[in-house]
Amino acid sequence: MKDTERAGAGAGASAELTARFAAEVDWTKVVDPYIPCPDGQYGPDLLERLWSPDLRTAEDAQATLHFACCGDGSSVRAAAPEVLPFLVEAVRDPAVAARVRTQILETLGVLARAAGPGPRRGGWWRTAPAAWPAAWERAVDALLPLLADDVEGDEDVRAGVAAVLARATHRADDLIGRVLARFEDEPHLSAAEQLVLAVGELAPHAVERREDAVAWLRQRTVDAGKGEEPDMDDDTDAWIAWMEQHGHDVRPAAVVALRRALRPL
């Protein structure tokens, strides 16, 4: 592990937070999907390890939580609504290693897909615990502020948040407005591209903003952004002005997003 990655992780969860791990989670529901209890049952220390200053420890805890929450990725298990608030809290906490935060966001995306409507392979219908919809709604609200999290180096977290929010299709109109507003202020290309893709995912589900979203995506498919970088030696002022603009060229992502936006539900 790189020293910079180790240094980027926090010193561990606070005493208040670890107390909540024990008090607010029904740990009888947080189990290994394929190992019978009690050998397959986990405890509060599993969440504590997400805040470990050792990156490998935190990543191993994240992988275990992923498996407990969604198994092979095809279902939302009883553990998911129990630990979801703390997974979101870890994503929101810069004390958690950035790489672990993005991995947690990938897990949230898997859970959102697994809980979505429609049949899976093999003809089985997707199901989720009764507590999941309310837990998911609270998670979406808690993740929204991270779209505007401008901490240096957190563009991967913002991109991951955008990908997760794209799965909250029942709130498509509201989220499209927020994503478009964020795009104007997003300084990093990777996050800007994911915002564009999110618009493509949300647009088919929108009522009031669908036409606006499609028109915006069409414009992005032909917009080269701020164009080619000027030669600093030829015109320093022009180069400085160019550097201060965002104006990302997201045309490849926009083409993909537009296809998604126009697909029938």
Side-chain angles (χ1 to χ4, degrees):
M1 177 173 52
K2 297 178 181 178
D3 291 340
T4 53
E5 292 175 336
R6 185 182 297 274
S14 67
E16 179 184 358
L17 192 55
T18 55
R20 290 177 56 205
F21 296 158
E24 298 178 20
V25 175
D26 182 351
W27 288 99
T28 65
K29 297 179 180 179
V30 186
V31 299
D32 187 300
Y34 304 112
I35 298 178
C37 290
D39 291 341
Q41 185 171 326
Y42 302 113
D45 63 304
L46 179 57
L47 282 172
E48 290 178 34
R49 293 200 295 272
L50 282 181
W51 273 260
S52 172
D54 181 81
L55 182 60
R56 179 172 296 177
T57 297
E59 287 188 315
D60 287 347
Q62 149 58 23
T64 299
L65 283 161
H66 176 101
F67 199 52
C69 287
C70 54
D72 64 359
S74 62
S75 63
V76 179
R77 305 188 65 83
E82 295 295 324
V83 300
L84 180 63
F86 295 109
L87 294 179
V88 172
E89 194 148 350
V91 170
R92 289 165 53 93
D93 191 348
V96 176
R99 199 159 87 189
V100 176
R101 295 167 73 196
T102 58
Q103 289 167 349
I104 293 171
L105 286 165
E106 291 170 5
T107 293
L108 299 187
V110 171
L111 286 167
R113 286 192 296 272
R120 302 197 305 261
R121 294 176 183 174
W124 295 94
W125 284 83
R126 296 184 174 113
T127 59
W132 174 257
W136 170 238
E137 193 72 16
R138 290 190 294 270
V140 170
D141 287 335
L143 288 170
L144 277 171
L146 289 183
L147 279 183
D149 185 352
D150 292 327
V151 177
E152 185 64 29
D154 279 354
E155 63 268 22
D156 290 340
V157 173
R158 288 199 302 279
V161 168
V164 171
L165 293 178
R167 298 293 174 179
T169 54
H170 63 297
R171 294 175 57 171
D173 285 298
D174 172 50
L175 290 174
I176 285 172
R178 291 173 182 266
V179 169
L180 295 185
R182 177 59 205 178
F183 180 85
E184 297 302 319
D185 294 325
E186 176 52 53
H188 293 279
L189 176 61
S190 61
E193 289 175 330
Q194 189 58 61
L195 291 167
V196 170
L197 294 172
V199 173
E201 293 290 347
L202 292 166
H205 304 273
V207 177
E208 298 176 356
R209 301 297 302 267
R210 184 177 187 277
E211 291 185 6
D212 290 343
V214 170
W216 184 85
L217 288 172
R218 289 189 190 280
Q219 185 178 358
R220 300 283 77 71
T221 63
V222 297
D223 186 354
K226 59 183 181 180
E228 186 177 354
E229 179 178 357
D231 190 313
M232 182 174 64
D233 295 330
D234 290 343
D235 191 336
T236 302
D237 290 339
W239 181 83
I240 292 173
W242 186 89
M243 289 295 293
E244 290 176 346
Q245 297 178 47
H246 294 156
H248 300 299
D249 182 354
V250 292
R251 287 177 291 180
V255 170
V256 174
L258 184 61
R259 290 173 180 166
R260 294 176 182 175
L262 296 175
R263 71 185 186 278
L265 292 177

